[in-house]
Amino acid sequence: MGDILKRLEKEGLAENTLIFLIGDNGRCHIRGKQFLYDPGLQVPMIIKWPGKVAPAQVNTDMVQTIDITATILDVAGAKPKHELQGKNLFEEESKNREYIFAARGRMGGTHDAMRTIRSKKYKLIHNLMPERAWLQYSGYKEDMYPMLTEMNIMYMEGKLNENQAKFFAPAKPEFELFDIEKDPYELNNLANDLHYGDVKDKLLEELYVWRKSIKDEGVSQEFREGGLSSKYPTRTLEEWKERYETWKPWVFREPKSKVKHPFVKKNY
């Protein structure tokens, strides 16, 4: 980033350039990337635009990364040939947004399908394949998340607490409803609580409107039956323990030491 900023300065463009810096889609953790809880949706975004955006401020508007495209096109004066789903981040239509939406489908060879709608207070997740475990086999996760190995062992040995064990269930509820303000870690599912029936119905209605607008056709039978095996648990307790021992040299390596990653070829 420093090299890029220096080049802009050198070429006299620093005061006339809009810069976006964002992270990847969700953190690399068990309930993060590839899932629709907030740790799987939230990404850092820093905007620098001299004379237009004041420095050292924090914005809590509900925005989406697809807004970046819409913003850039507007700033550049370009007119897209079709309507964009994103909104200009500097216009009122993005600042006063009532809901944001997200979806999860095939991740590599792992088939699953989820849709979500989130307001500032509530989130509704619709699991379109509730028969599959959250932690059905994913080579990426099992080869890159050492904590997943340890927690699988603890789950199978009955050592996780109630909240930790929820995510290791063999199937999912069709709907998950969370009061984000009261339950920021999204652990207390209110979908079957009659006191939140109106909230659930309203969010589900808005979610269907969004899905229709993007021509979301849901899950085909071919998709439901396809992909990698959905057998769960994915390994026996003995296999997880063996994997745990394989992880140890890499996880507990000394700073700056080069230890071969147990499941990928490159050294980290």
Side-chain angles (χ1 to χ4, degrees), residues 140-190:
Y140 165 75
K141 286 189 175 67
E142 294 195 6
D143 288 352
M144 298 302 291
Y145 294 9
M147 186 178 288
L148 179 61
T149 295
E150 183 169 16
M151 290 193 73
N152 265 291
I153 292 171
M154 294 176 69
Y155 173 70
M156 297 175 84
E157 291 182 338
K159 295 179 179 179
L160 296 182
N161 66 36
E162 181 182 357
N163 282 328
Q164 292 168 337
K166 287 177 181 179
F167 199 58
F168 290 77
K172 305 184 288 289
E174 182 178 3
F175 295 103
E176 299 174 79
L177 175 65
F178 302 105
D179 184 329
I180 302 295
E181 292 180 351
K182 294 180 180 178
D183 178 28
Y185 297 112
E186 299 165 89
L187 295 171
N188 184 23
N189 184 7
L190 304 170

Side-chain angles (χ1 to χ4, degrees), residues 187-244:
L187 295 171
N188 184 23
N189 184 7
L190 304 170
N192 295 323
D193 188 326
L194 296 179
H195 292 95
Y196 291 86
D198 290 344
V199 173
K200 177 183 174 182
D201 289 345
K202 174 62 175 175
L203 292 176
L204 188 58
E205 178 184 0
E206 294 291 342
L207 183 60
Y208 282 145
V209 170
W210 174 74
R211 290 182 59 190
K212 184 177 180 180
S213 73
I214 64 169
K215 299 180 173 60
D216 179 0
E217 297 181 359
V219 180
S220 68
Q221 194 62 30
E222 179 183 12
F223 184 84
R224 190 176 297 276
E225 295 173 356
L228 299 174
S229 171
S230 60
K231 179 179 177 294
Y232 184 82
T234 63
R235 301 174 191 270
T236 65
L237 177 58
E238 290 70 26
E239 289 171 333
W240 279 118
K241 285 184 174 181
E242 180 180 348
R243 201 171 180 84
Y244 179 85

Side-chain angles (χ1 to χ4, degrees), residues 41-57:
L41 298 180
Q42 292 175 337
V43 297
M45 179 165 68
I46 300 173
I47 299 175
K48 176 182 172 65
W49 197 11
K52 302 287 187 179
V53 176
Q57 62 174 310

Side-chain angles (χ1 to χ4, degrees), residues 239-257:
E239 289 171 333
W240 279 118
K241 285 184 174 181
E242 180 180 348
R243 201 171 180 84
Y244 179 85
E245 293 300 321
T246 305
W247 270 116
K248 273 186 176 181
W250 189 81
V251 172
F252 296 107
R253 68 194 185 279
E254 292 294 322
K256 296 186 179 180
S257 65

Side-chain angles (χ1 to χ4, degrees), residues 113-130:
M114 307 166 184
R115 310 290 186 264
T116 191
I117 175 173
R118 190 197 193 286
S119 67
K120 287 194 172 181
K121 182 170 176 58
Y122 295 107
K123 176 190 284 181
L124 178 71
I125 298 174
H126 188 182
N127 292 307
L128 303 182
M129 298 172 70

